[in-house]
Amino acid sequence: MTASTENGAVTSATTASSLRKRHTATSLLQRCDPIPPRSNGEVWGRTGGGRSWFGALIASTPVVLAPLASISTFITLAAFEGSYASFAAAVAEQGFWVICWKYGPQLTLKGAFAVVCWVSFQALLFVYLPGHLQTGQYTPAGHLLTYRINGLSAWVLTHVLYFVLCWNDLLDPGFIPRNWSSLIAALNVAGLLISALAFVKAYVSPTHADDRKFSGSLIYDYFMGIELNPRIGDAFDLKLFSNGRPGMILWTLIDFSNLAYQHQMQGHVQPSLVLVSILQTLYVVDFFINESWYLRTIDIAHDHYGFYLAWGCFCFLPTTYTIQGQYLGMYPSSSSTGYLAVAFIVGLAGYVLFRSANYQKDKVRSSGGRCQIWGRPVEYIEAAYTTSDGKEHKSLLVCSGWWGWSRHANYVGDLFLSYSSCALVGSTKLVVWTYAIWMTVLLVHRCMRDEKRCSVKYGPAWTEYCRRVPWRFVPGIW
């Protein structure tokens, strides 16, 4: 939503003024008085203290509920043919823990070893693969971090290795669905361990102590995280690694392994699974092609690193975002050609919207507003903000193109892509739509959090931006 110009693209009021005249942009704040720091030194970012114990407890319930939901979904798929109703009936009759004991994920040495090897391999690629250096955004305390961008190389190398091992009969291409029970159990454990590591590290060896946030509740701090950008050493960024390596790369491997498994079981692959895999591969590869853009998203720039991101990326992402492929791998089916074509085209349209919206924002950021969108000079609002070290920076709030249509146009494209991926399965079972439902909840919640943060960070500039672009998602609806 914001196109940052903190890296010198717009460095003075005079330069900004000339750009505004030249590109018919609007500046609300040529000179913006710094937002006065709060008593505890905060300027903007996640709220620190002041959270009641009851509110913190309620907000932290996902620490317990999320793993249980992951396990419940696995059981529903594996033992009840994807029917939440049948799963609920069995739980009502026998009890939840009895059902978990009978049908739940089983941790084995094979699964644990596979996950340890997987995470270790991705960590080695993260550290040693070459890549260009890219800075992120200023943190609330004024730090500007550098990242090595090599995610696309890691994705390509991982998948090439997978295909080579399978081609030479050194790895069963259907290994993942055949061992899914033990892999899910091991991924849950890995996510919990990384979350605990991040929690302890924030106290004993913080990377940037002045960017930590304490809520006053241990369980809430464990859930939402304390450190903003925890690192091991100077370069191993735990947040970027978790968000962009084990889970994201595993996403497409799970799809490909389910394709292979379906072929092994029935001698051919259904078009529905092929199309789901194409859409999701397109999304994942796009993520890695534009990894430097990801450094400016709410995940990296603003969310602190705790259970929410650590367990979410290590376990929830690969187990929940891949439900469509899991379901089709277990229960092969395919809808009519016309239905599949429409659903696939909607997904492609969603991707085009998602990518073009992000491209427009990045184009404005990288050019300092000296560009055109849709054949016309870009319009923007120049917004100043202050970090807790007292330094003032500027961002550009884009009011042209998709960003003049909606304040979160990229989220709309993301949702189109999510729902079409689920629709391609051709089933009305709720479990198939879990991914799309989750993405709706996630993006709406993220929208509200992002707008609250921007309101504090940019002040009157954000108020003016909301006046000029009044719709959050879809004009006329919300």
Side-chain angles (χ1 to χ4, degrees):
M1 178 188 315
T2 60
S4 172
T5 59
E6 295 156 356
N7 296 326
V10 179
T11 57
S12 69
T14 302
T15 303
S17 178
S18 64
L19 289 177
R20 289 192 297 276
K21 293 177 181 178
R22 184 177 176 184
H23 299 285
T24 66
T26 301
S27 173
L28 185 71
L29 300 175
Q30 274 188 304
R31 292 186 177 275
C32 178
D33 293 332
I35 301 171
R38 301 170 190 165
S39 59
N40 62 354
E42 294 175 358
V43 178
W44 50 273
R46 199 189 83 196
T47 302
R51 183 177 292 273
S52 70
W53 69 267
F54 182 74
L57 182 63
I58 295 299
S60 305
T61 53
V63 171
V64 175
L65 296 181
L68 294 181
S70 174
I71 292 170
S72 298
T73 299
F74 166 79
I75 295 173
T76 299
L77 283 168
F80 296 97
E81 298 183 346
S83 171
Y84 277 134
S86 298
F87 169 73
V91 168
E93 180 181 349
Q94 302 179 48
F96 178 77
W97 297 113
V98 172
I99 294 297
C100 285
W101 181 258
K102 291 173 64 175
Y103 304 111
Q106 302 294 317
L107 183 63
T108 65
L109 287 177
K110 184 179 183 180
F113 181 72
V115 169
V116 169
C117 289
W118 170 251
V119 175
S120 300
F121 177 63
Q122 291 305 318
L124 289 173
L125 296 183
F126 186 76
V127 172
Y128 292 109
L129 275 181
H132 70 276
L133 298 180
Q134 179 72 41
T135 56
Q137 285 189 310
Y138 282 99
T139 71
H143 299 288
L144 186 63
L145 304 183
T146 300
Y147 301 82
R148 179 185 290 114
I149 303 301
N150 58 14
L152 183 60
S153 300
W155 186 90
V156 171
L157 183 58
T158 299
H159 286 74
V160 168
L161 180 61
Y162 167 77
F163 286 116
V164 168
L165 291 175
C166 293
W167 182 264
N168 290 281
D169 295 326
L170 298 174
L171 176 67
D172 174 13
F175 174 85
I176 294 177
R178 281 195 170 87
N179 297 275
W180 193 227
S181 173
S182 58
L183 291 175
I184 280 188
L187 288 169
N188 263 288
V189 172
L192 293 172
L193 289 176
I194 296 296
S195 302
L197 169 66
F199 182 77
V200 173
K201 180 185 178 302
Y203 282 94
V204 301
S205 182
T207 303
H208 298 111
D210 48 357
D211 266 323
R212 293 181 299 173
K213 291 292 175 68
F214 297 93
S215 69
S217 165
L218 291 178
I219 189 171
Y220 185 80
D221 288 343
Y222 174 78
F223 172 54
M224 285 304 296
I226 298 172
E227 282 197 89
L228 182 60
N229 300 107
R231 292 191 167 191
I232 299 175
D234 294 329
F236 195 93
D237 191 273
L238 276 173
K239 189 194 290 187
L240 181 60
F241 174 72
S242 297
N243 290 22
R245 292 299 187 276
M248 286 296 289
I249 295 179
L250 187 57
W251 186 351
T252 45
L253 274 186
I254 291 171
D255 283 346
F256 294 157
S257 193
N258 275 294
L259 282 166
Y261 180 74
Q262 190 180 90
H263 187 271
Q264 290 171 340
M265 297 302 293
Q266 65 175 33
H268 65 277
V269 178
Q270 295 287 355
S272 53
L273 182 53
V274 173
L275 294 177
V276 166
S277 300
I278 290 174
L279 279 185
Q280 296 189 340
T281 300
L282 182 65
Y283 186 83
V284 172
V285 171
D286 176 89
F287 171 88
F288 287 116
I289 290 175
N290 298 282
E291 188 176 13
S292 59
W293 157 83
Y294 185 62
L295 302 179
R296 295 180 291 277
T297 64
I298 192 171
D299 288 342
I300 297 296
H302 305 293
D303 281 342
H304 289 243
Y305 187 72
F307 175 91
Y308 174 75
L309 287 179
W311 182 88
C313 293
F314 268 86
C315 183
F316 191 80
L317 188 158
T319 60
T320 303
Y321 288 29
T322 62
I323 286 177
Q324 306 95 297
Q326 295 177 51
Y327 182 88
L328 290 171
M330 295 179 188
Y331 314 108
S333 63
S334 196
S335 301
S336 67
T337 301
Y339 173 85
L340 292 178
V342 171
F344 187 69
I345 290 172
V346 170
L348 289 179
Y351 169 75
V352 170
L353 171 55
F354 171 80
R355 170 60 14 231
S356 60
N358 286 324
Y359 170 76
Q360 288 176 359
K361 182 170 62 174
D362 222 33
K363 183 179 181 181
V364 175
R365 181 200 65 82
S366 60
S367 68
R370 293 168 293 184
C371 63
Q372 291 189 338
I373 292 180
W374 292 350
R376 303 177 65 179
V378 65
E379 297 182 15
Y380 61 83
I381 295 171
E382 183 183 301
Y385 65 95
T386 304
T387 48
S388 61
D389 57 4
K391 295 181 180 179
E392 184 178 295
H393 311 276
K394 293 183 176 66
S395 287
L396 302 184
L397 309 180
V398 186
C399 304
S400 293
W402 292 116
W403 302 98
W405 176 77
S406 164
R407 300 202 296 268
H408 299 271
N410 55 339
Y411 290 178
V412 177
D414 214 340
L415 289 177
F416 270 104
L417 187 58
S418 302
Y419 277 91
S420 65
S421 295
C422 297
L424 284 168
V425 178
S427 173
T428 58
K429 290 182 177 178
L430 184 61
V431 70
V432 170
W433 297 88
T434 301
Y435 168 56
I437 294 170
W438 161 251
M439 288 299 292
T440 303
V441 174
L442 173 71
L443 294 179
V444 169
H445 180 247
R446 178 169 293 186
C447 166
M448 303 305 292
R449 288 195 299 128
D450 192 35
E451 298 215 341
K452 181 179 179 181
R453 178 188 59 81
C454 287
S455 178
V456 174
K457 182 177 181 180
Y458 299 123
W462 182 254
T463 302
E464 172 64 11
Y465 177 66
C466 292
R467 185 191 68 79
R468 293 185 59 179
V469 186
W471 301 104
R472 288 187 174 97
F473 273 47
V474 180
I477 298 178
W478 188 56

